[in-house]
Amino acid sequence: MSIVKSSREQGFIQRTDFFEVAEHPQSQRLYQINIRDHVIEQFLEDTSDISIQQLEYVPYMRFVVADRLNSLTNGKLKEVLTTILHDRNTGGYTTGTNSKTSESDDYVKFSTAITHLIGEPNFDSMSGNYYARFSVTDIDNSDSYLRQPYRLFTLHTDGTFVDEATDWLLMMKMKEENAVGGESRLLHLDDWNELDIYSNHGLASKEITYKAPSSKNVSKEIKRKTFFQINNKPCMCFIDQFAYPKNIEEANYLKSLSESMENDPSLIELSLPVGDLVVLNNTFWLHGRAAFEKNSELNRELLRQRGCFSE
């Protein structure tokens, strides 16, 4: 069966000798892609001589590891990954390394292969690289919600304060110790009960100024519309922390919009094992994070990549 012709309503399932695609057990909007053990093992062996420094310093090596993973699936994985992300009915999936490694370098290689099959990551100014790794621990003195463990990280899209397209987002769990809570909170725009109210509001297409805090290493101000259309469907660009409305009306609109999403019954909390990742279409999926339970030994490390689709 071709995934290109499948519909979400039919519940697509594809099985090959190289991977299996099935509905995600936690969400009817997501797929779960289980790459076969032998593929993961061979990929790790074939890329064992490629260092992380090579990936960081030699950009074409990122496509080399992507090609290796795709070749091990008889050239089929790239089509599956990209088609799902472009499908408005779903636009997201999880996959992982099947506990075949616990090495952080292997996680970087695997996530790099995935992203370079769907497009090209943007430069991440926070890390100074094409990917960012960051930890969430008990004590935090940062200037954004990203590393603050005991508060709700509200729903948002990525790339609001950068002057480039951010079509997709990848988040991978690298490490987790003494963590209770902290689930990824996700909302697909088409499941939001009050989408029509806010996307048709008079301020929906008004440009809002976004400014990043100092930790993001981005000084340029960006103006973005909260709602825009792709293929005649509403898409969104929003993060509450970095929006600078010009007046009370704009502020009340953004506050009400955020509260509506946070309280929507369709919001899901996704549990992600260490070594697994989630990839989302950033134009119609909102994401955030639940609060952790207090623990002085809390330690979670995440990897993030975000970027644009291949032409």
Side-chain angles (χ1 to χ4, degrees), residues 13-245:
I13 295 177
Q14 182 178 10
R15 294 185 180 92
T16 75
D17 292 337
F18 314 107
F19 55 81
E20 177 183 274
V21 183
E23 290 189 357
H24 198 282
Q26 291 182 261
S27 171
Q28 294 183 345
R29 286 289 189 185
L30 296 173
Y31 286 111
Q32 186 173 52
I33 302 175
N34 178 29
I35 302 174
R36 305 293 188 195
D37 286 352
H38 69 89
V39 174
I40 298 294
E41 291 168 346
Q42 191 64 52
F43 172 77
L44 296 175
E45 180 179 338
D46 290 352
T47 59
S48 62
D49 62 338
I50 298 175
S51 70
I52 300 306
Q53 187 179 72
Q54 279 182 288
L55 293 180
E56 294 175 351
Y57 288 8
V58 187
Y60 67 71
M61 291 302 296
R62 305 165 197 170
F63 289 101
V64 169
V65 297
D67 182 59
R68 187 56 192 156
L69 181 60
N70 196 47
S71 296
L72 290 169
T73 65
N74 201 27
K76 301 297 185 182
L77 186 61
K78 180 177 180 178
E79 179 189 11
V80 169
L81 297 181
T82 55
T83 302
I84 292 174
L85 287 181
H86 283 285
D87 181 0
R88 176 74 183 212
N89 289 321
T90 171
Y93 49 81
T94 63
T95 189
T97 56
N98 302 345
S99 300
K100 294 304 175 183
T101 181
S102 59
E103 297 295 325
S104 61
D105 283 3
D106 290 336
Y107 294 159
V108 174
K109 293 176 188 178
F110 180 75
S111 63
T112 297
I114 295 294
T115 57
H116 285 76
L117 289 177
I118 62 178
E120 185 176 7
N122 296 335
F123 177 76
D124 196 307
S125 297
M126 188 181 80
S127 65
N129 215 320
Y130 73 93
Y131 67 93
R133 290 173 60 174
F134 52 90
S135 295
V136 179
T137 59
D138 176 57
I139 298 175
D140 173 77
N141 296 310
S142 65
D143 55 7
S144 74
Y145 296 163
L146 181 64
R147 294 184 176 91
Q148 295 184 12
Y150 304 126
R151 64 154 298 136
L152 178 71
F153 189 179
T154 44
L155 291 170
H156 61 282
T157 62
D158 267 29
T160 56
F161 54 82
V162 296
D163 191 15
E164 55 194 340
T166 307
D167 299 326
W168 51 261
L169 167 72
L170 176 148
M171 297 175 287
M172 186 173 196
K173 188 176 290 185
M174 307 276 282
K175 180 191 298 183
E176 187 165 75
E177 300 168 343
N178 306 303
V180 177
E183 294 84 2
S184 294
R185 303 170 70 249
L186 308 176
L187 179 65
H188 190 289
L189 273 187
D190 293 345
D191 293 334
W192 178 19
N193 284 339
E194 296 185 324
L195 170 63
D196 288 346
I197 294 174
Y198 290 96
S199 62
N200 293 316
H201 191 280
L203 293 175
S205 59
K206 176 71 180 296
E207 288 189 336
I208 301 294
T209 298
Y210 284 91
K211 304 176 187 179
S214 59
S215 66
K216 307 302 183 184
N217 298 321
V218 176
S219 58
K220 185 178 179 179
E221 295 183 8
I222 298 295
K223 294 185 181 296
R224 296 220 181 252
K225 296 178 181 179
T226 305
F227 288 95
F228 56 97
Q229 290 209 338
I230 296 178
N231 297 325
N232 298 316
K233 293 282 189 177
C235 296
M236 196 173 183
C237 181
F238 171 75
I239 186 168
D240 58 355
Q241 301 169 74
F242 312 139
Y244 284 75

